[in-house]
Amino acid sequence: MALYHVVPSVVFLLAITGCRGWTETSEIEIVATDYAFQVPPKIKPGLVAFRFVNRGTVPHEVQFYHLRPHISRDSALRRLTTDLPDSLAVDGAGSVLWAPAGVTAHERLLVDVRAGDLYLLMCQFQNADSLPPHSKLGMITVFESE
């Protein structure tokens, strides 16, 4: 009986979604290595599904932040030595995907990329408590939308 109630709701939801039109989504890979990110330097604006691929030998994460306007790439990287990344973000929040060594995350990060904006990627994992975070080893980058 529960299935009978669920199916009409799903059909109704699909019908409403279909009325708004279909938005094209592109997919971009963020590749983690030991200790860097590979991502295109510029990404086209629009709805983007970011896929996280860990080609490294240790677990990695990607913390993803949309930077506030008027913060340059150099300024953002310089300020991260003293500021937290969420203090540089548009809404004070970021998103995170992570994957063990050699694994692609099952989830995607869906972002409405805005023209001319900057986005920050960083990994704060540590291989041991006595070792620096991966960002201090070079696992931090900023990219721009076209």
Side-chain angles (χ1 to χ4, degrees):
M1 186 144 175
L3 182 59
Y4 175 76
H5 293 292
V6 171
V7 172
S9 299
V10 170
V11 172
F12 179 69
L13 177 62
L14 290 174
I16 289 174
T17 303
C19 292
R20 290 188 290 177
W22 184 260
T23 302
E24 187 175 325
T25 304
S26 60
E27 184 169 284
I28 301 287
E29 278 190 354
I30 299 170
V31 177
T33 60
D34 301 332
Y35 293 91
F37 288 113
Q38 297 170 355
V39 64
K42 288 204 178 225
I43 294 184
K44 291 183 181 182
L47 203 54
V48 179
F50 288 93
R51 186 171 96 159
F52 184 56
V53 179
N54 184 355
R55 292 199 183 128
T57 60
V58 296
H60 289 297
E61 69 176 347
V62 59
Q63 293 183 15
F64 189 103
Y65 296 93
H66 178 197
L67 296 179
R68 288 183 296 168
H70 312 298
I71 295 178
S72 70
R73 172 190 313 266
D74 293 338
S75 173
L77 295 174
R78 189 174 50 255
R79 287 178 59 183
L80 283 170
T81 61
T82 57
D83 294 343
L84 295 174
D86 52 352
S87 69
L88 305 175
V90 167
D91 55 9
S95 299
V96 178
L97 293 173
W98 78 275
V103 173
T104 298
H106 297 286
E107 302 79 16
R108 303 289 189 271
L109 178 60
L110 191 60
V111 178
D112 187 9
V113 174
R114 298 180 190 159
D117 285 1
L118 293 175
Y119 297 85
L120 170 74
L121 307 177
M122 65 188 305
C123 178
Q124 290 293 83
F125 279 8
Q126 293 174 260
N127 295 340
D129 289 340
S130 61
L131 296 174
H134 294 176
S135 61
K136 298 290 185 196
L137 300 173
M139 226 169 158
I140 186 167
T141 192
V142 174
F143 70 88
E144 185 177 4
S145 62
E146 296 178 347

